[in-house]
Amino acid sequence: MLPGTRALRTFEAAGRHLNFTRAADEVGLTPAAVSYQIKEIEDQLGLVLFARSSRSIQLTPAGAVVFEATVQALEALQGAVGRARRMARGARELRVSLTPRFATNWLLPRLSQLRAAHPAIELTFDINDEVRDFDTDDVDLAIRFGSGRYPQLHAERLFEAVIAPVCSPKLISAGGEPKSPEALFDHTLCHVECYTEGMLWPNWRMWMAAAGIDAFDDSRCVAFSDTSHVVEAVTDGGAVGLVDLAMIKNELAEGRLVRLFDIGVSLGGDYAYHLVYPESASKDPRILVFSHWMLAEVGRAKAVSLATPAD
């Protein structure tokens, strides 16, 4: 008899982490429950899978063989389920993976236009900050920020991220609009701290350098892991934040946030938002329609942005 899928997932997590506590956090069990489940698997198979000591665990030679097969089996099963779900959705439904902020601030406000132009396509969304795997997850295409260089995937460049400072109207009402970058020194400055494919997301030190201030002390800056936390801190009125302008268009248009200065920074190079899908699906009519529509919308948005200063 072989262990069930749930038990194999626990074993795979324990073998990958070589730590019952970290495996427990991943699979939603207690360390004691993980240890008990591993012992049950060993008894069921008649094999010792882990060599245990007071400080660590290691896979035995037999455990390494079973671990490798378990990884392959779970990946194959997950991939098959993903393909089966795509088949079950039929030929009309197109499932798009994208982040919550991109969905709220860019795609969803334009969705009625797409549906009016292409009523035959049924769109569903996987709204999540996690990067999905086309081989195993139930998605047809994704909108990702990065270099666009992904093996076996086709990437259409949409637009780059321009990072600039914003504040709340309440901050301006209380003390007036800052007249120079140096005036920001008196405010709480916050930003997102993360890496995209090894590249550091623009922070206050980078923005100050672009503004001509090289000797900037960023020790008092507040770093968050997510843009929504920066937006929340700024909206409350007590901070000035660095954010991706394209992802706060609603807040800017409605006057809930105000852009400060005309200086923006980006990651540069090929780093931008991309529409991504498997090369094997490059002739899928649903994907082609959606891709052409997205690129046309990006072109219209750029034209409006360029025309605005002249109006």
Side-chain angles (χ1 to χ4, degrees), residues 163 165 180-189 202-218 221 240 242 261 263-265:
I163 315 301
S180 68
E182 289 85 354
L184 298 178
F185 295 174
D186 298 328
H187 297 280
T188 300
L189 304 179
N203 56 30
W204 277 106
R205 182 181 291 276
M206 298 177 190
W207 187 87
M208 288 294 179
I213 301 171
D214 295 323
F216 173 67
D217 180 9
D218 62 355
C221 293
V240 177
L242 278 181
F261 311 109
I263 303 168
V265 294

Side-chain angles (χ1 to χ4, degrees), residues 67-286:
F67 174 75
E68 182 179 358
T70 298
V71 171
Q72 294 173 354
L74 292 176
E75 287 180 349
L77 180 59
Q78 190 172 3
V81 170
R83 291 192 297 274
R85 284 176 173 165
R86 287 194 293 275
M87 291 172 60
R89 283 196 276 108
R92 293 184 59 182
E93 185 177 335
L94 184 67
R95 188 161 176 79
V96 183
S97 177
L98 69 170
T99 65
R101 187 153 288 275
F102 194 101
T104 301
N105 285 273
W106 204 95
L107 184 59
L108 295 185
R110 296 171 166 86
L111 198 54
S112 60
Q113 302 167 33
L114 173 65
R115 286 175 170 161
H118 304 285
I121 295 180
E122 297 178 0
L123 277 181
T124 59
F125 299 101
D126 171 60
I127 299 178
N128 202 299
D129 284 314
E130 295 183 5
V131 176
R132 295 307 194 190
D133 187 327
F134 290 105
D135 290 332
T136 58
D137 295 318
D138 182 25
V139 296
D140 297 304
L141 53 83
I143 297 169
R144 297 178 179 173
F145 186 88
S147 65
R149 297 186 292 273
Y150 311 117
Q152 298 181 325
L153 298 180
H154 179 80
E156 294 275 4
R157 181 185 174 93
L158 299 176
F159 52 86
E160 67 177 355
V162 178
I163 315 301
V166 297
C167 72
S168 165
K170 293 185 289 185
L171 186 145
I172 294 176
S173 298
E177 185 172 346
K179 301 300 182 184
S180 68
E182 289 85 354
L184 298 178
F185 295 174
D186 298 328
H187 297 280
T188 300
L189 304 179
C190 58
H191 62 275
V192 175
E193 185 173 289
C194 69
Y195 286 85
T196 299
E197 298 178 16
M199 293 285 289
L200 179 63
W201 194 258
N203 56 30
W204 277 106
R205 182 181 291 276
M206 298 177 190
W207 187 87
M208 288 294 179
I213 301 171
D214 295 323
F216 173 67
D217 180 9
D218 62 355
S219 61
R220 295 174 59 190
C221 293
V222 180
F224 293 102
S225 60
D226 188 85
T227 299
S228 61
H229 300 148
V230 176
V231 171
E232 183 178 352
V234 173
T235 304
D236 289 341
V240 177
L242 278 181
V243 293
D244 180 354
L245 295 178
M247 296 300 105
I248 58 164
K249 281 191 176 295
N250 289 350
E251 289 89 342
L252 292 172
E254 296 168 5
R256 287 180 282 140
L257 294 178
V258 178
R259 179 178 178 177
L260 300 175
F261 311 109
D262 60 356
I263 303 168
V265 294
S266 65
L267 271 72
D270 295 327
Y271 286 88
Y273 290 96
H274 290 84
L275 183 66
V276 182
Y277 52 87
E279 290 179 349
S280 58
S282 60
K283 294 184 179 180
D284 187 322
R286 302 165 305 159

